Amino acid sequence: MKYWLIISLMMATAGTSTAMADLRTARHVLPEAELVGEGRFKILFWNVFDAALYTPHGSWSEEQPFALSLAFHRDLHSERIVEKSIEHMRRLGADDETRLALWSRDIASILPDVDHGTTITGVVDEDGYTRFFENGRPIGVIHDEEFGKRFLDVWLGEQASLPKLRTQLLGETAS
């Protein structure tokens, strides 16, 4: 009985420490960051990642900076993440192929392969630049405001790629 109690406590606090680490990362660039919402992306019965959205004071507005953290449950190659990111941006209206190629190159040079337990956080700051962190450690910056807008659209725009997750991230209830 004591064994199960210890396991239960460890499992209950495991998610909390990850959420706190994500908040610390968000606050690295956005000092007043608070959680807006969070959710899990699954494919069939496989957990792919947990996502959390942070903004100043925890209230969402497209005009303000934000941080989006993805805590991965599966191994993924960075090439696949880059490919899917650009594909979603293109689907949502990014049609400047030169710029998309540049972003693809930039993202590929920043993002690592991920495995279970890796957290990648993207922070779109007040200047519109997108700063990336791996497990709280800075790994790169894209100095293009348009990239930040397109990154926002993929996750939080009206035509977001994962509408159920968007609703959860924005702290909205499904209708």
Short mmCIF file of all heavy atoms in Angstrom, two decimals, residues 107-134:
data_model
loop_
_atom_site.label_atom_id
_atom_site.label_comp_id
_atom_site.label_asym_id
_atom_site.label_seq_id
_atom_site.Cartn_x
_atom_site.Cartn_y
_atom_site.Cartn_z
N ILE A 107 14.55 27.20 -39.21
CA ILE A 107 13.99 26.30 -38.20
C ILE A 107 14.84 25.03 -38.10
O ILE A 107 15.14 24.55 -37.01
CB ILE A 107 12.53 25.91 -38.52
CG1 ILE A 107 11.63 27.12 -38.60
CG2 ILE A 107 11.99 24.96 -37.46
CD1 ILE A 107 10.26 26.81 -39.19
N ALA A 108 15.25 24.50 -39.26
CA ALA A 108 16.07 23.28 -39.27
C ALA A 108 17.39 23.49 -38.53
O ALA A 108 17.90 22.56 -37.90
CB ALA A 108 16.31 22.83 -40.70
N SER A 109 17.93 24.70 -38.60
CA SER A 109 19.20 24.95 -37.92
C SER A 109 19.02 25.14 -36.41
O SER A 109 19.99 25.04 -35.66
CB SER A 109 19.89 26.19 -38.52
OG SER A 109 19.22 27.37 -38.14
N ILE A 110 17.78 25.37 -35.98
CA ILE A 110 17.50 25.63 -34.56
C ILE A 110 16.98 24.39 -33.84
O ILE A 110 17.47 24.04 -32.77
CB ILE A 110 16.48 26.78 -34.40
CG1 ILE A 110 17.10 28.11 -34.87
CG2 ILE A 110 16.00 26.89 -32.97
CD1 ILE A 110 16.11 29.26 -34.95
N LEU A 111 15.96 23.76 -34.42
CA LEU A 111 15.27 22.68 -33.70
C LEU A 111 16.05 21.38 -33.71
O LEU A 111 16.48 20.92 -34.76
CB LEU A 111 13.88 22.45 -34.31
CG LEU A 111 12.87 23.56 -34.13
CD1 LEU A 111 11.53 23.16 -34.74
CD2 LEU A 111 12.69 23.93 -32.66
N PRO A 112 16.15 20.75 -32.55
CA PRO A 112 16.81 19.44 -32.46
C PRO A 112 15.80 18.32 -32.71
O PRO A 112 14.59 18.56 -32.74
CB PRO A 112 17.27 19.40 -31.00
CG PRO A 112 16.17 20.13 -30.29
CD PRO A 112 15.78 21.26 -31.24
N ASP A 113 16.30 17.11 -32.88
CA ASP A 113 15.42 15.95 -32.79
C ASP A 113 14.89 15.94 -31.36
O ASP A 113 15.58 16.37 -30.43
CB ASP A 113 16.19 14.65 -33.05
CG ASP A 113 16.67 14.53 -34.50
OD1 ASP A 113 16.11 15.21 -35.38
OD2 ASP A 113 17.59 13.74 -34.72
N VAL A 114 13.67 15.47 -31.17
CA VAL A 114 13.10 15.42 -29.83
C VAL A 114 12.80 13.98 -29.46
O VAL A 114 12.58 13.14 -30.32
CB VAL A 114 11.82 16.29 -29.71
CG1 VAL A 114 12.12 17.75 -29.98
CG2 VAL A 114 10.72 15.79 -30.62
N ASP A 115 12.81 13.74 -28.16
CA ASP A 115 12.41 12.44 -27.66
C ASP A 115 11.49 12.64 -26.47
O ASP A 115 11.22 13.78 -26.07
CB ASP A 115 13.62 11.57 -27.31
CG ASP A 115 14.57 12.24 -26.33
OD1 ASP A 115 14.17 13.16 -25.60
OD2 ASP A 115 15.74 11.84 -26.30
N HIS A 116 11.01 11.54 -25.93
CA HIS A 116 10.12 11.62 -24.77
C HIS A 116 10.80 12.42 -23.67
O HIS A 116 11.92 12.14 -23.29
CB HIS A 116 9.78 10.21 -24.27
CG HIS A 116 8.88 10.23 -23.09
ND1 HIS A 116 7.53 10.46 -23.21
CD2 HIS A 116 9.13 10.10 -21.77
CE1 HIS A 116 6.99 10.45 -22.00
NE2 HIS A 116 7.93 10.23 -21.11
N GLY A 117 10.12 13.47 -23.21
CA GLY A 117 10.67 14.31 -22.15
C GLY A 117 11.27 15.61 -22.62
O GLY A 117 11.53 16.49 -21.81
N THR A 118 11.47 15.77 -23.93
CA THR A 118 11.98 17.04 -24.46
C THR A 118 10.85 18.07 -24.49
O THR A 118 9.75 17.76 -24.92
CB THR A 118 12.54 16.86 -25.89
OG1 THR A 118 13.58 15.91 -25.89
CG2 THR A 118 13.04 18.19 -26.46
N THR A 119 11.15 19.27 -24.05
CA THR A 119 10.19 20.37 -24.16
C THR A 119 10.80 21.45 -25.04
O THR A 119 11.91 21.91 -24.79
CB THR A 119 9.85 20.97 -22.78
OG1 THR A 119 9.24 19.95 -21.99
CG2 THR A 119 8.88 22.15 -22.91
N ILE A 120 10.07 21.82 -26.07
CA ILE A 120 10.45 22.92 -26.96
C ILE A 120 9.47 24.05 -26.70
O ILE A 120 8.26 23.86 -26.73
CB ILE A 120 10.39 22.51 -28.45
CG1 ILE A 120 11.33 21.35 -28.74
CG2 ILE A 120 10.69 23.72 -29.35
CD1 ILE A 120 12.80 21.66 -28.62
N THR A 121 9.99 25.23 -26.43
CA THR A 121 9.16 26.41 -26.19
C THR A 121 9.51 27.46 -27.23
O THR A 121 10.68 27.78 -27.42
CB THR A 121 9.39 26.97 -24.77
OG1 THR A 121 9.10 25.94 -23.82
CG2 THR A 121 8.49 28.18 -24.50
N GLY A 122 8.48 27.97 -27.90
CA GLY A 122 8.63 29.08 -28.82
C GLY A 122 8.00 30.31 -28.20
O GLY A 122 6.86 30.26 -27.75
N VAL A 123 8.76 31.39 -28.12
CA VAL A 123 8.26 32.64 -27.53
C VAL A 123 8.30 33.72 -28.60
O VAL A 123 9.37 34.03 -29.13
CB VAL A 123 9.12 33.08 -26.33
CG1 VAL A 123 8.56 34.36 -25.72
CG2 VAL A 123 9.22 31.98 -25.28
N VAL A 124 7.14 34.28 -28.92
CA VAL A 124 7.09 35.43 -29.82
C VAL A 124 7.11 36.65 -28.90
O VAL A 124 6.18 36.88 -28.13
CB VAL A 124 5.84 35.40 -30.72
CG1 VAL A 124 5.78 36.65 -31.59
CG2 VAL A 124 5.85 34.15 -31.60
N ASP A 125 8.22 37.40 -28.98
CA ASP A 125 8.43 38.51 -28.04
C ASP A 125 7.77 39.81 -28.52
O ASP A 125 7.10 39.83 -29.55
CB ASP A 125 9.92 38.69 -27.75
CG ASP A 125 10.73 39.15 -28.96
OD1 ASP A 125 10.16 39.69 -29.93
OD2 ASP A 125 11.96 38.98 -28.92
N GLU A 126 7.98 40.89 -27.78
CA GLU A 126 7.35 42.18 -28.10
C GLU A 126 7.79 42.73 -29.45
O GLU A 126 7.08 43.53 -30.05
CB GLU A 126 7.63 43.18 -26.98
CG GLU A 126 6.92 42.83 -25.70
CD GLU A 126 7.23 43.79 -24.56
OE1 GLU A 126 8.11 44.66 -24.71
OE2 GLU A 126 6.58 43.66 -23.52
N ASP A 127 8.96 42.32 -29.92
CA ASP A 127 9.44 42.77 -31.23
C ASP A 127 8.93 41.90 -32.37
O ASP A 127 9.22 42.18 -33.53
CB ASP A 127 10.98 42.78 -31.25
CG ASP A 127 11.55 43.77 -30.25
OD1 ASP A 127 10.96 44.86 -30.09
OD2 ASP A 127 12.58 43.45 -29.64
N GLY A 128 8.21 40.83 -32.04
CA GLY A 128 7.71 39.92 -33.06
C GLY A 128 8.72 38.84 -33.44
O GLY A 128 8.47 38.05 -34.33
N TYR A 129 9.87 38.81 -32.76
CA TYR A 129 10.87 37.78 -33.02
C TYR A 129 10.47 36.50 -32.28
O TYR A 129 9.85 36.55 -31.22
CB TYR A 129 12.25 38.21 -32.55
CG TYR A 129 12.77 39.46 -33.23
CD1 TYR A 129 13.76 40.22 -32.64
CD2 TYR A 129 12.26 39.89 -34.45
CE1 TYR A 129 14.26 41.36 -33.25
CE2 TYR A 129 12.75 41.03 -35.06
CZ TYR A 129 13.74 41.77 -34.47
OH TYR A 129 14.22 42.90 -35.07
N THR A 130 10.84 35.37 -32.85
CA THR A 130 10.49 34.08 -32.24
C THR A 130 11.75 33.45 -31.67
O THR A 130 12.69 33.15 -32.40
CB THR A 130 9.84 33.15 -33.28
OG1 THR A 130 8.74 33.84 -33.90
CG2 THR A 130 9.34 31.88 -32.62
N ARG A 131 11.74 33.28 -30.36
CA ARG A 131 12.87 32.69 -29.64
C ARG A 131 12.51 31.26 -29.26
O ARG A 131 11.42 31.01 -28.77
CB ARG A 131 13.16 33.49 -28.37
CG ARG A 131 13.48 34.94 -28.67
CD ARG A 131 13.64 35.79 -27.42
NE ARG A 131 13.87 37.16 -27.78
CZ ARG A 131 15.03 37.63 -28.26
NH1 ARG A 131 16.05 36.84 -28.41
NH2 ARG A 131 15.14 38.91 -28.59
N PHE A 132 13.45 30.34 -29.50
CA PHE A 132 13.20 28.93 -29.20
C PHE A 132 14.10 28.47 -28.06
O PHE A 132 15.26 28.87 -27.95
CB PHE A 132 13.47 28.07 -30.44
CG PHE A 132 12.42 28.24 -31.51
CD1 PHE A 132 12.65 29.11 -32.57
CD2 PHE A 132 11.23 27.55 -31.45
CE1 PHE A 132 11.69 29.28 -33.56
CE2 PHE A 132 10.27 27.71 -32.43
CZ PHE A 132 10.50 28.58 -33.49
N PHE A 133 13.51 27.59 -27.23
CA PHE A 133 14.20 27.01 -26.08
C PHE A 133 14.00 25.51 -26.09
O PHE A 133 12.91 25.03 -26.44
CB PHE A 133 13.63 27.57 -24.77
CG PHE A 133 13.78 29.05 -24.62
CD1 PHE A 133 12.91 29.93 -25.24
CD2 PHE A 133 14.81 29.57 -23.85
CE1 PHE A 133 13.05 31.30 -25.11
CE2 PHE A 133 14.97 30.95 -23.71
CZ PHE A 133 14.09 31.81 -24.34
N GLU A 134 15.03 24.78 -25.71
CA GLU A 134 14.93 23.33 -25.51
C GLU A 134 15.16 23.07 -24.03
O GLU A 134 16.24 23.39 -23.51
CB GLU A 134 15.98 22.58 -26.34
CG GLU A 134 15.96 21.09 -26.09
CD GLU A 134 17.10 20.37 -26.75
OE1 GLU A 134 18.03 21.03 -27.29
OE2 GLU A 134 17.10 19.13 -26.72
#
